[in-house]
Amino acid sequence: MIGGLFVYNHKGEVLISRVYRDDIGRNAVDAFRVNVIHARQQVRSPVNMIARTSFFHVKRSNIWLCAVSKKNLNAALVFQFLYKMLEVMGSYFGKINEENIKNNFVLIYELLDELLDYGYPQNTDTGVLKTFITQQGVKSQTKEETTKITNQVTGQIAWRREGIKYRRNELFLDVVESVNLLMSPQGQVLSAHVSGRVLMKSYLSGMPECKFGINDKVIVESRRAADSSSAAGATKSGHIAIDDCQFHQCVKLSKFDTEHAISFIPPDGEFELMRYRNTKDISLPFRVIPLVREIGRTKMEVKVVVKSNFKPSLLAQKVEVRIPTPLNTSGVQVICMKGKARYKASDNAIVWKIKRMGGMKEWQLSAEIDLLNATDKAKKWTRPPISMNFEVPFAASGFKVRYLKVFESKLNYSDHDVIKWVRYIGKSGLYETRC
Amino acid sequence: SPKMQGVAASVSESLGNIRPWLQKVTTQAKTTDSKYFTTTRKGEIFELKAELNSERKDKRKEAVKKVIASMTVGKDVSTLFPDVVNCMQADNLELKKLVYLYLMNYAKTQPDKAIMAVNTFVRDCEDPNPLIRALAVRTIGCIRVDEITAYLCDPLRKCLKDEDPYVRKTAAVCVAKLHDIDPLLVEEQGFLDALKELLADSNPMVVANAVAAITEISDSAQTDTAADMLCWSGQLINKLLTALNECTEWGQVFILDAVANYTPTENNEAQNMIERVSPRLAHANAAVVLSAVKVIMKLLEMLDPNSDFVVSTIKKLSAPLVTLLSSEPEIQYVALRNINLIVQKRPDILKQELKVFFVKYNDPIYVKLEKLDILIRLTSAANIANVLAELKEYATEVDVDFVRKAVRAIGRCAIKVESAAERCVSTLLDLIQTKVNYVVQEAIVVIKDIFRKYPNKYESVIGTLCENLDTLDEPEARASMIWIIGEYAERIDNADELLESFLEGFADEQTAVQLQLLTSVVKLFLKRPTDTQELVQQALSLATQEADNPDLRDRGYIYWRLLSTDPAAAKQVVLAEKPLISEETDLLEPNLLDELICHIGSLASVYHKPPAAFVDGRGGGQVAKATKGLPSRLAAEAGGAAAAAAGAGGGDFGAGTGAPGRPAVSVIPTQESLIGDLLDIDMSGGATAAAAMAAASASTNQQPVDLLGEGLDSLLGGPAPSATSPVPPSGASAAAGGSGADSLADIFGGLGGGVGGGLGGGGGFDPPMETWLPAQKGKGLQIEGRFLRRGPQLSMELRLRNNAMQQLNGFAVQFNKNSFGLAPAQPLAMNPLAPQQSVTTLLPLNTKGPVQKMDPLLTLQVAVKNNIDIFYFACLIPMYALFTEEGDMDKRVFLSTWKDIPPENETQFNLGSYAHDADTASTMLRSFNVFTIAKRSVESTDMLYQCVKLTNGILVLAELKIVPQTNAYTLSLKSRHVEIYPGVHEAYLAVLKG
């Protein structure tokens, strides 16, 4: 398992160094700095072997987080853990940067002591950690209190503590989808998929058992088969075919596998209930039609049409189109019908921002790009794809929440008393059109 | 629901307000700890010392923080040890943790002072607060100081039975820590039992940590008892799978990884396990998903591949694997490396998912390169158009490595899908027109492969290629171009001029280019003898007279002689028809692939190397550790032995290239194979031959009738396969040809690497029986055994026990090739064995079997067959079993032999001291066929001159020196074969200890 964990700043100075195993020495800290952080070339792999020691790293802004081992350990687990650690640190002190890490180094050591034991990840749930790693000391706690903590850290339902009470039982569901597209210049969809997340905020008393229903074909059909009393002729349309889904720790996976039922006891507060992926019948909110013409060696003409492809009553927000320009661009003249377009030399792109855009609209931008005479033909411009950002108030996959029922047998509130909110957000993932 | 939509906007505001509770802690923690990171000043240590001893608590705490900060940045603050330890008794938990952190770092360097901390540790282990008890037991296990370890046992024992699960889960891991420090102590103190009990704990996290600890301990187990004890049983696995539901995500990974090490005994069990593991494929944690995939991939091997269950299971695997590609790039990378393996093992799983491997512009380079690799593996006639369009796109990107790989991929498409070859070639020509230097070079390399695959089809492009001659500066591209010129010499009018121009800079070229140039000139000569005589003479004299490289020189001489003695024969040899190149390149060698499938998710799967290649072996000592292998449908447990046998076979192939013991068979064409190409069976050609041999050896291992290796034997001993050249050149093919010889000289001569390993067991003349095949691996058949020598007769005594529910019969035994050619002298005579019955039988052995050097030298791989299955196991032959009766010799002969052996072969061993005098020792040793030739006393020191003859005729001469006062025994050995010294040394020890 993980032999040691180091945190460096961008210069390669050590901010945190925690060694869990005897086979990792201090020289490992330097080896990573010299061979990876200070390497001349771009780092070509997140896993590097230096002198029979393996280094796994992730980078967040200027901070390098690096796990070290000399064993044949589970690599997927290491990276999952590193990301988890970033999440935990983030929820304790906000942004991961040098200042915050230095300011909280004692806390981080305390966390590392708890997160890993002999390099084996232990309980990494932020909510639970916050019950006993507080930087306040635990001296004053009574026996009952500590037992409660230890039970929760190690317990079966590690993600929720007992005895939670709310005056108003309320829950919020956000269906957040990111739409990914790669389109050829001719408008052929090369690949498209939606990766969706169902985020939940629950403010429920006690230990409520929740049942979640969605319009996935498999789930709906198996439900119907199981429940023969329901009308067989119910609407067949409106079901989507989810390729794959994954669930939060709290969802009973074996139950999902056998009965296709999503049931769980939710953590208190905010969490990601479910993740899913869909590739079929995606309604792409936008279409970009590029037209690039190179006129001689010093001029280019670009025309980009953006079409919105959803109900006219809906409004897309934060629409942004990025049109890459060659490195030797000397000047750009842009004309656009709507929104604001600007050439950003630092990004080598024309950035076209549209605050709001209704459905079934078609807007155009045209630009003339002046180029410096290209001297080195090896540095030929490779025409990176045009990318788009946007936010739309619907799920591009057609994902629908059918119900979310709450059962808490011990307390006297019923499903009807719970106030529920649902909203759908479609965002752009990598939304690219080649030109 | 529409009502819900309506209120969405207003809700979004209220959602925003909920965030602050999360940040509450942030503001609390806003301290200014960064001040501790200030740079060193003179006298700082002194100041810290004073502060650490301050009266004020808060000051002490500040000081400890400063010490930790200094430690972090790598300053040596070890001199503050006593002062920091003084702060340990603090009742402030935060401070205590910091002090513990300091202790873990420095205790090893200050063992005598570390002992000061013991009392506090022991006290903390009894603290009423479980968090403190756990903290103490967690820390104490990390302090690797013997004196402290001794104090650890009692508290640890208590903590393992603590009422609080938090303490128990910490104690479970602590057992693994202690085992790393002192494995025997862990066994003696019964901690292994305690750990096993924790597997039945009511708390899931305790179970998970116990599983992790057991897995780790059994990986490095020092003794058989420990290894056996920690062996997973079906019942236990069943329990663990039940616990899976309740564990944390990490606990699930520990359990799945442990489950992956277990091979069920029946198909039903395997199917049941798959059913219970499959739900994990929907877990959000990629490590859980990959570990579940690993378990399923392994178990699938045991089931009928055409059954509905297997087909539907395979279907289930594809979606979760694709989903992994939407995670963070580093996790994608791990997933892609694994998918690369999975696609090679079971291409069907991701056949339909080609598009998810299309490269995105913003993917990190490591993701791009891996995706490209997989893309090519999934290419088929059905999707070639899409793939080719993508590859063309990639070939215009910026990253040089990526572009090269894309170009190479286009060539591979051409070779793989014949119908698309023409389109690929024209795409490559387009790319050559870009004149981008590295694109052109890469294109030429792949076009050469296309020529190999489709001879005489695309020569029209040669003209275009020749236009770019000047720009080629990479050896591989130059060599490829030269190959093309030689191959098509009759169609290129100015071939002689072109080659001549290359010949001008002959001395500056790399070997690969030189060799290719030589060959091409000879080809040209054979095709156009009239006007190229001068050229060929020039090339031959350059190669034979000017070059320093022996390969080049040898090849030059061979050509020279061929041409001067029999030009017709030369033509037959040099212009012989070349074997086809294989469609799939870069495939992993099948045995390695199977091993790596057992390591899905782990580093081995990322590196595509077996763990042994990058993990320093620890505890490989006593317990034979077979490499992991997939279970087969024929023999559930064949994996280990088969893989081991194949590994040894691989060593054979590799002998010539200097990599004994590691499978050197490579399907990946390398630069080196070009060097070994005398007759133009270049790159992939040689690789195909090697692959064919690898495949042949693999299939031999799986044949049910031929228990072990006889097919392999004939393959190795017989003439080299037709694909290889009749004249052994250098490099890989030489190894394949030459390794067949099984004379002893060959085995021990030359390359013998370090021969490790010692004697298992030990003991007297009749050593105790060892368990060679535990019942759970033998499907109920348990085999214990030992080696005995009665007079001249060497035998293997076997005790077979039937723990199964049915009668066992039809026993047969066979040995794999081994270092000393041991083989059964007669078939195993065994009556049917009723359930719960056991029988002991003596199997006489001879040494007429096939010989192959093993590593460790004394390893013997045995296959036992019965009506149920074939079982494989390995054991160690004790060296003294190989001492023959013919060891006696004349004194003069002894003396001259002693002198004949070079002095650097002499090695001395201290044997320790024994009560027996020289004569007793001599008698004891004699009963083991160690012959005392002469005895001499010099200043009351006795010297015995002894001789041992091994079954294969190797002589070992020994001088045993016994100093009477101390009774210290010193042994000097002399033999031509130093590899056997460790074994002889062990044998002496065993005999003298009685």
Side-chain angles (χ1 to χ4, degrees), chain B residues 667-685:
Chain B
V667 193
I668 304 157
T670 58
Q671 193 89 12
E672 280 78 357
S673 52
L674 185 71
I675 302 173
D677 156 32
L678 170 60
L679 298 165
D680 232 348
I681 297 148
D682 70 337
M683 300 180 179
S684 4

PDB file of all heavy atoms in Angstrom, chain B residues 667-685:
ATOM      1  N   VAL B 667       7.011 -10.322 -28.411  1.00  0.00           N
ATOM      2  CA  VAL B 667       6.244 -10.262 -29.631  1.00  0.00           C
ATOM      3  C   VAL B 667       6.359  -8.861 -30.213  1.00  0.00           C
ATOM      4  O   VAL B 667       6.022  -8.585 -31.344  1.00  0.00           O
ATOM      5  CB  VAL B 667       4.776 -10.606 -29.346  1.00  0.00           C
ATOM      6  CG1 VAL B 667       4.040 -10.864 -30.637  1.00  0.00           C
ATOM      7  CG2 VAL B 667       4.701 -11.839 -28.470  1.00  0.00           C
ATOM      8  N   ILE B 668       6.851  -7.968 -29.409  1.00  0.00           N
ATOM      9  CA  ILE B 668       6.973  -6.599 -29.857  1.00  0.00           C
ATOM     10  C   ILE B 668       8.231  -6.469 -30.693  1.00  0.00           C
ATOM     11  O   ILE B 668       9.316  -6.787 -30.237  1.00  0.00           O
ATOM     12  CB  ILE B 668       7.058  -5.655 -28.645  1.00  0.00           C
ATOM     13  CG1 ILE B 668       5.847  -5.888 -27.763  1.00  0.00           C
ATOM     14  CG2 ILE B 668       7.164  -4.215 -29.076  1.00  0.00           C
ATOM     15  CD1 ILE B 668       6.058  -5.469 -26.341  1.00  0.00           C
ATOM     16  N   PRO B 669       8.101  -6.048 -31.912  1.00  0.00           N
ATOM     17  CA  PRO B 669       9.296  -5.923 -32.737  1.00  0.00           C
ATOM     18  C   PRO B 669      10.189  -4.820 -32.181  1.00  0.00           C
ATOM     19  O   PRO B 669       9.713  -3.748 -31.836  1.00  0.00           O
ATOM     20  CB  PRO B 669       8.768  -5.549 -34.114  1.00  0.00           C
ATOM     21  CG  PRO B 669       7.318  -5.291 -33.957  1.00  0.00           C
ATOM     22  CD  PRO B 669       6.908  -5.572 -32.566  1.00  0.00           C
ATOM     23  N   THR B 670      11.423  -5.086 -32.059  1.00  0.00           N
ATOM     24  CA  THR B 670      12.314  -4.087 -31.527  1.00  0.00           C
ATOM     25  C   THR B 670      13.440  -3.854 -32.507  1.00  0.00           C
ATOM     26  O   THR B 670      13.632  -4.589 -33.447  1.00  0.00           O
ATOM     27  CB  THR B 670      12.937  -4.557 -30.203  1.00  0.00           C
ATOM     28  OG1 THR B 670      13.611  -5.783 -30.494  1.00  0.00           O
ATOM     29  CG2 THR B 670      11.907  -4.789 -29.154  1.00  0.00           C
ATOM     30  N   GLN B 671      14.162  -2.834 -32.210  1.00  0.00           N
ATOM     31  CA  GLN B 671      15.332  -2.507 -32.988  1.00  0.00           C
ATOM     32  C   GLN B 671      16.282  -3.696 -33.028  1.00  0.00           C
ATOM     33  O   GLN B 671      16.855  -4.014 -34.035  1.00  0.00           O
ATOM     34  CB  GLN B 671      16.028  -1.325 -32.308  1.00  0.00           C
ATOM     35  CG  GLN B 671      17.065  -0.674 -33.157  1.00  0.00           C
ATOM     36  CD  GLN B 671      16.425   0.414 -33.976  1.00  0.00           C
ATOM     37  OE1 GLN B 671      15.303   0.806 -33.749  1.00  0.00           O
ATOM     38  NE2 GLN B 671      17.144   0.914 -34.960  1.00  0.00           N
ATOM     39  N   GLU B 672      16.394  -4.384 -31.881  1.00  0.00           N
ATOM     40  CA  GLU B 672      17.346  -5.462 -31.760  1.00  0.00           C
ATOM     41  C   GLU B 672      17.074  -6.579 -32.761  1.00  0.00           C
ATOM     42  O   GLU B 672      17.979  -7.199 -33.290  1.00  0.00           O
ATOM     43  CB  GLU B 672      17.342  -6.048 -30.344  1.00  0.00           C
ATOM     44  CG  GLU B 672      18.120  -5.242 -29.357  1.00  0.00           C
ATOM     45  CD  GLU B 672      17.350  -4.014 -28.908  1.00  0.00           C
ATOM     46  OE1 GLU B 672      16.247  -3.774 -29.407  1.00  0.00           O
ATOM     47  OE2 GLU B 672      17.870  -3.290 -28.080  1.00  0.00           O
ATOM     48  N   SER B 673      15.779  -6.833 -32.996  1.00  0.00           N
ATOM     49  CA  SER B 673      15.501  -7.950 -33.883  1.00  0.00           C
ATOM     50  C   SER B 673      15.960  -7.628 -35.300  1.00  0.00           C
ATOM     51  O   SER B 673      16.192  -8.499 -36.102  1.00  0.00           O
ATOM     52  CB  SER B 673      14.024  -8.314 -33.853  1.00  0.00           C
ATOM     53  OG  SER B 673      13.238  -7.194 -34.090  1.00  0.00           O
ATOM     54  N   LEU B 674      16.100  -6.363 -35.560  1.00  0.00           N
ATOM     55  CA  LEU B 674      16.608  -5.973 -36.865  1.00  0.00           C
ATOM     56  C   LEU B 674      18.083  -6.347 -36.978  1.00  0.00           C
ATOM     57  O   LEU B 674      18.557  -6.776 -38.021  1.00  0.00           O
ATOM     58  CB  LEU B 674      16.426  -4.461 -37.041  1.00  0.00           C
ATOM     59  CG  LEU B 674      16.801  -3.886 -38.385  1.00  0.00           C
ATOM     60  CD1 LEU B 674      15.804  -4.318 -39.426  1.00  0.00           C
ATOM     61  CD2 LEU B 674      16.839  -2.374 -38.304  1.00  0.00           C
ATOM     62  N   ILE B 675      18.774  -6.184 -35.855  1.00  0.00           N
ATOM     63  CA  ILE B 675      20.196  -6.499 -35.852  1.00  0.00           C
ATOM     64  C   ILE B 675      20.394  -7.975 -36.125  1.00  0.00           C
ATOM     65  O   ILE B 675      21.303  -8.394 -36.823  1.00  0.00           O
ATOM     66  CB  ILE B 675      20.814  -6.140 -34.488  1.00  0.00           C
ATOM     67  CG1 ILE B 675      20.592  -4.661 -34.211  1.00  0.00           C
ATOM     68  CG2 ILE B 675      22.288  -6.469 -34.460  1.00  0.00           C
ATOM     69  CD1 ILE B 675      20.998  -4.225 -32.859  1.00  0.00           C
ATOM     70  N   GLY B 676      19.518  -8.772 -35.578  1.00  0.00           N
ATOM     71  CA  GLY B 676      19.674 -10.213 -35.711  1.00  0.00           C
ATOM     72  C   GLY B 676      19.159 -10.714 -37.041  1.00  0.00           C
ATOM     73  O   GLY B 676      18.812 -11.866 -37.209  1.00  0.00           O
ATOM     74  N   ASP B 677      19.148  -9.859 -38.004  1.00  0.00           N
ATOM     75  CA  ASP B 677      18.488 -10.229 -39.239  1.00  0.00           C
ATOM     76  C   ASP B 677      19.503 -10.426 -40.331  1.00  0.00           C
ATOM     77  O   ASP B 677      19.846  -9.522 -41.059  1.00  0.00           O
ATOM     78  CB  ASP B 677      17.512  -9.093 -39.578  1.00  0.00           C
ATOM     79  CG  ASP B 677      17.194  -9.043 -41.053  1.00  0.00           C
ATOM     80  OD1 ASP B 677      17.182 -10.083 -41.691  1.00  0.00           O
ATOM     81  OD2 ASP B 677      16.987  -7.934 -41.537  1.00  0.00           O
ATOM     82  N   LEU B 678      20.016 -11.607 -40.397  1.00  0.00           N
ATOM     83  CA  LEU B 678      20.990 -11.874 -41.431  1.00  0.00           C
ATOM     84  C   LEU B 678      20.280 -12.085 -42.752  1.00  0.00           C
ATOM     85  O   LEU B 678      20.659 -11.557 -43.785  1.00  0.00           O
ATOM     86  CB  LEU B 678      21.779 -13.131 -41.067  1.00  0.00           C
ATOM     87  CG  LEU B 678      22.675 -13.670 -42.164  1.00  0.00           C
ATOM     88  CD1 LEU B 678      23.696 -12.644 -42.562  1.00  0.00           C
ATOM     89  CD2 LEU B 678      23.336 -14.932 -41.687  1.00  0.00           C
ATOM     90  N   LEU B 679      19.237 -12.871 -42.676  1.00  0.00           N
ATOM     91  CA  LEU B 679      18.601 -13.291 -43.921  1.00  0.00           C
ATOM     92  C   LEU B 679      17.333 -12.518 -44.141  1.00  0.00           C
ATOM     93  O   LEU B 679      16.406 -12.990 -44.777  1.00  0.00           O
ATOM     94  CB  LEU B 679      18.309 -14.774 -43.846  1.00  0.00           C
ATOM     95  CG  LEU B 679      19.608 -15.547 -43.695  1.00  0.00           C
ATOM     96  CD1 LEU B 679      19.353 -16.933 -43.258  1.00  0.00           C
ATOM     97  CD2 LEU B 679      20.378 -15.485 -44.993  1.00  0.00           C
ATOM     98  N   ASP B 680      17.312 -11.354 -43.552  1.00  0.00           N
ATOM     99  CA  ASP B 680      16.185 -10.520 -43.846  1.00  0.00           C
ATOM    100  C   ASP B 680      14.890 -10.987 -43.210  1.00  0.00           C
ATOM    101  O   ASP B 680      13.826 -10.567 -43.609  1.00  0.00           O
ATOM    102  CB  ASP B 680      15.983 -10.443 -45.346  1.00  0.00           C
ATOM    103  CG  ASP B 680      15.896  -9.005 -45.740  1.00  0.00           C
ATOM    104  OD1 ASP B 680      15.774  -8.177 -44.831  1.00  0.00           O
ATOM    105  OD2 ASP B 680      15.942  -8.724 -46.904  1.00  0.00           O
ATOM    106  N   ILE B 681      14.992 -11.911 -42.318  1.00  0.00           N
ATOM    107  CA  ILE B 681      13.772 -12.229 -41.587  1.00  0.00           C
ATOM    108  C   ILE B 681      13.727 -11.189 -40.499  1.00  0.00           C
ATOM    109  O   ILE B 681      14.125 -11.406 -39.392  1.00  0.00           O
ATOM    110  CB  ILE B 681      13.844 -13.625 -41.000  1.00  0.00           C
ATOM    111  CG1 ILE B 681      13.957 -14.602 -42.145  1.00  0.00           C
ATOM    112  CG2 ILE B 681      12.633 -13.946 -40.177  1.00  0.00           C
ATOM    113  CD1 ILE B 681      14.731 -15.796 -41.819  1.00  0.00           C
ATOM    114  N   ASP B 682      13.315 -10.041 -40.876  1.00  0.00           N
ATOM    115  CA  ASP B 682      13.525  -8.918 -39.970  1.00  0.00           C
ATOM    116  C   ASP B 682      12.326  -8.706 -39.084  1.00  0.00           C
ATOM    117  O   ASP B 682      11.284  -9.296 -39.226  1.00  0.00           O
ATOM    118  CB  ASP B 682      13.845  -7.664 -40.780  1.00  0.00           C
ATOM    119  CG  ASP B 682      12.637  -7.183 -41.523  1.00  0.00           C
ATOM    120  OD1 ASP B 682      11.745  -8.026 -41.744  1.00  0.00           O
ATOM    121  OD2 ASP B 682      12.569  -6.013 -41.873  1.00  0.00           O
ATOM    122  N   MET B 683      12.523  -7.827 -38.160  1.00  0.00           N
ATOM    123  CA  MET B 683      11.506  -7.359 -37.216  1.00  0.00           C
ATOM    124  C   MET B 683      10.389  -8.345 -36.964  1.00  0.00           C
ATOM    125  O   MET B 683      10.543  -9.338 -36.318  1.00  0.00           O
ATOM    126  CB  MET B 683      10.910  -6.051 -37.719  1.00  0.00           C
ATOM    127  CG  MET B 683      11.986  -5.024 -37.837  1.00  0.00           C
ATOM    128  SD  MET B 683      11.305  -3.508 -38.422  1.00  0.00           S
ATOM    129  CE  MET B 683      12.744  -2.519 -38.437  1.00  0.00           C
ATOM    130  N   SER B 684       9.279  -8.072 -37.582  1.00  0.00           N
ATOM    131  CA  SER B 684       8.095  -8.860 -37.273  1.00  0.00           C
ATOM    132  C   SER B 684       8.272 -10.312 -37.666  1.00  0.00           C
ATOM    133  O   SER B 684       7.645 -11.183 -37.109  1.00  0.00           O
ATOM    134  CB  SER B 684       6.892  -8.272 -37.969  1.00  0.00           C
ATOM    135  OG  SER B 684       7.304  -7.205 -38.777  1.00  0.00           O
ATOM    136  N   GLY B 685       9.128 -10.564 -38.632  1.00  0.00           N
ATOM    137  CA  GLY B 685       9.359 -11.945 -39.025  1.00  0.00           C
ATOM    138  C   GLY B 685       9.918 -12.733 -37.861  1.00  0.00           C
ATOM    139  O   GLY B 685       9.397 -13.777 -37.490  1.00  0.00           O
TER     140      GLY B 685
END
